[in-house]
Amino acid sequence: MKIKLETQQGDIKILDLSDYRPDHKDIEEFRNYEDGKLIDRVKKTYYEMHSNQCLDFVKGRMQHWLKFNHLEMNVMEALDLLNSLVDESDPDVDLPNSIHAFQTAERAREAHPDKDWMHLTGLIHDLGKVMALYGEPQWATVGDTFPIGCEFSDKCVFGKASFAQNPDIDNPVYSTKLGMYEENCGLRNVVMSWGHDEYMYQVLKHNKCTLPEEALCMVRFHSFYPWHTGKDYMYLCDDHDLNMLQWVLEFNKFDLYSKSERVPDVEALKPYYQALIDKYMPGVMNWNVWLWKYYL
């Protein structure tokens, strides 16, 4: 089935998922959290994440990272840093994240050649993972995200049982369905687990990049699998979130199903993507952003 969306950026046709799977892997083989050569590493990362990511922890990471005293660099420099990072939460590939960035970007480019902003979104969506190269543990950088301050979902990787050691699990407010939120409050008012999605979103906002709202939502929620794939937490969404959901799902095909052992010719691709960087987010970027009053 094909779905057509209306947007300020133009129409988008959503194609069948099978158009994007790499040759060596079937769709049903992705995101296997039961077995495989990487499963021990993946399980350890998620159990540490689910045990430690409570509201107090997230507030602390916001206070630490969302200041102006860490680093400045341009996008290509950040991509080069990711040459040394392998995502320990990923059961599908064991390649540096910089390779995955170009794989995702190129799949988006193949499917939507007229939407250069989506190509760039593919390239930068994981750049927030640079935190792991500046002292942040991977369980606070990579992996699926989820709301904090309300009941944990069984749609999260390894289920609710993996949250057994989380300090918020017995909180009389945070352990309820809505927790500290109101129904349909909108995801913009929800505290998410701390990781590369939220960090990169805030970096883009602070540096006044001109990517459209659809792109910003792709960056912010591409790892929110319990929502966009598990269909949970819909009771927290407003109309804006539901409209953005289809864009996040479209992007997910390029992010997830681009993972393969085929390595793109990065040097040949750099001039094209540098032109997009210059268009939407030029120059040196400050990788520290304002503190949200909401979190404090």
Side-chain angles (χ1 to χ4, degrees), residues 48-49 51-65 136-141 146 148 166-168 191-195 295:
E48 289 180 338
M49 178 197 303
S51 296
N52 290 287
Q53 290 254 10
C54 61
L55 185 60
D56 285 344
F57 173 81
V58 173
K59 286 180 178 179
R61 301 329 288 157
M62 297 288 281
Q63 291 173 338
H64 174 76
W65 282 102
E136 196 74 344
Q138 287 224 13
W139 56 261
T141 304
F146 49 90
I148 301 292
N166 190 291
D168 288 348
V191 181
M192 298 297 294
S193 56
W194 179 247
Y295 291 97

Side-chain angles (χ1 to χ4, degrees), residues 10-287:
D11 296 340
I12 179 173
K13 291 182 179 179
I14 296 182
L15 308 177
D16 186 84
L17 289 177
S18 61
D19 292 339
Y20 304 103
R21 68 172 183 265
D23 296 335
H24 79 295
K25 206 166 190 178
D26 294 328
I27 287 177
E28 59 271 14
E29 295 181 272
F30 285 94
R31 289 180 59 83
N32 176 1
Y33 294 100
E34 296 181 1
D35 51 40
K37 65 179 182 179
L38 304 175
I39 191 61
D40 291 340
R41 182 188 75 184
V42 171
K43 187 173 183 178
K44 179 178 183 292
T45 301
Y46 271 103
Y47 268 76
E48 289 180 338
M49 178 197 303
H50 293 173
S51 296
N52 290 287
Q53 290 254 10
C54 61
L55 185 60
D56 285 344
F57 173 81
V58 173
K59 286 180 178 179
R61 301 329 288 157
M62 297 288 281
Q63 291 173 338
H64 174 76
W65 282 102
L66 305 189
K67 295 179 179 178
F68 298 92
N69 61 351
H70 284 279
L71 67 154
E72 292 183 342
M73 58 185 166
N74 62 41
V75 172
M76 285 299 180
E77 289 172 333
L79 281 168
D80 287 342
L81 284 177
L82 292 187
N83 284 331
S84 60
L85 179 69
V86 174
D87 188 332
E88 295 177 355
S89 73
D90 194 333
D92 296 314
V93 293
D94 206 21
L95 290 170
N97 244 232
S98 58
I99 300 300
H100 171 60
F102 282 96
Q103 288 174 327
T104 305
E106 282 297 282
R107 286 300 179 106
R109 185 180 176 187
E110 291 170 9
H112 301 288
D114 59 326
K115 293 178 174 58
D116 62 358
W117 59 269
M118 192 182 291
H119 314 164
L120 181 58
T121 303
L123 187 72
I124 67 168
H125 74 285
D126 275 347
L127 285 189
K129 293 179 182 179
V130 297
M131 289 190 297
L133 305 175
Y134 289 87
E136 196 74 344
Q138 287 224 13
W139 56 261
T141 304
V142 303
D144 291 6
T145 58
F146 49 90
I148 301 292
C150 62
E151 183 180 23
F152 300 119
S153 170
D154 229 12
K155 298 290 186 179
C156 293
V157 173
F158 299 113
K160 291 178 68 172
S162 61
F163 291 90
Q165 301 303 313
N166 190 291
D168 288 348
I169 198 73
D170 295 320
N171 184 285
V173 175
Y174 306 155
S175 60
T176 63
K177 179 179 177 179
L178 288 175
M180 63 184 189
Y181 308 111
E182 296 180 359
E183 192 166 3
N184 304 126
C185 62
L187 294 179
R188 66 178 65 84
N189 295 311
V190 170
V191 181
M192 298 297 294
S193 56
W194 179 247
H196 69 283
D197 298 47
E198 183 68 30
Y199 179 51
M200 190 61 200
Y201 168 77
Q202 294 291 351
V203 168
L204 294 173
K205 294 284 285 185
H206 171 69
N207 286 278
K208 297 180 172 57
C209 83
T210 57
L211 287 167
E213 177 69 10
E214 293 88 347
L216 297 178
C217 286
M218 290 171 182
V219 169
R220 193 178 194 187
F221 297 120
H222 69 271
S223 301
F224 190 8
Y225 275 86
W227 171 59
H228 65 63
T229 299
K231 306 305 180 189
D232 205 349
Y233 297 109
M234 291 298 178
Y235 45 85
L236 296 178
C237 297
D238 59 14
D239 290 342
H240 175 266
D241 300 323
L242 297 178
N243 184 48
M244 291 295 108
L245 174 57
Q246 295 299 332
W247 287 93
V248 176
L249 285 170
E250 175 70 354
F251 179 77
N252 174 250
K253 294 182 296 190
F254 314 131
D255 181 16
L256 179 58
Y257 301 113
S258 66
K259 295 175 182 178
S260 77
E261 296 169 354
R262 292 179 296 168
V263 178
D265 186 345
V266 171
E267 291 304 315
L269 293 172
K270 277 186 176 181
Y272 173 76
Y273 287 100
Q274 184 61 59
L276 298 187
I277 293 166
D278 293 340
K279 178 179 179 179
Y280 290 105
M281 41 196 302
V284 173
M285 298 178 65
N286 191 305
W287 291 75

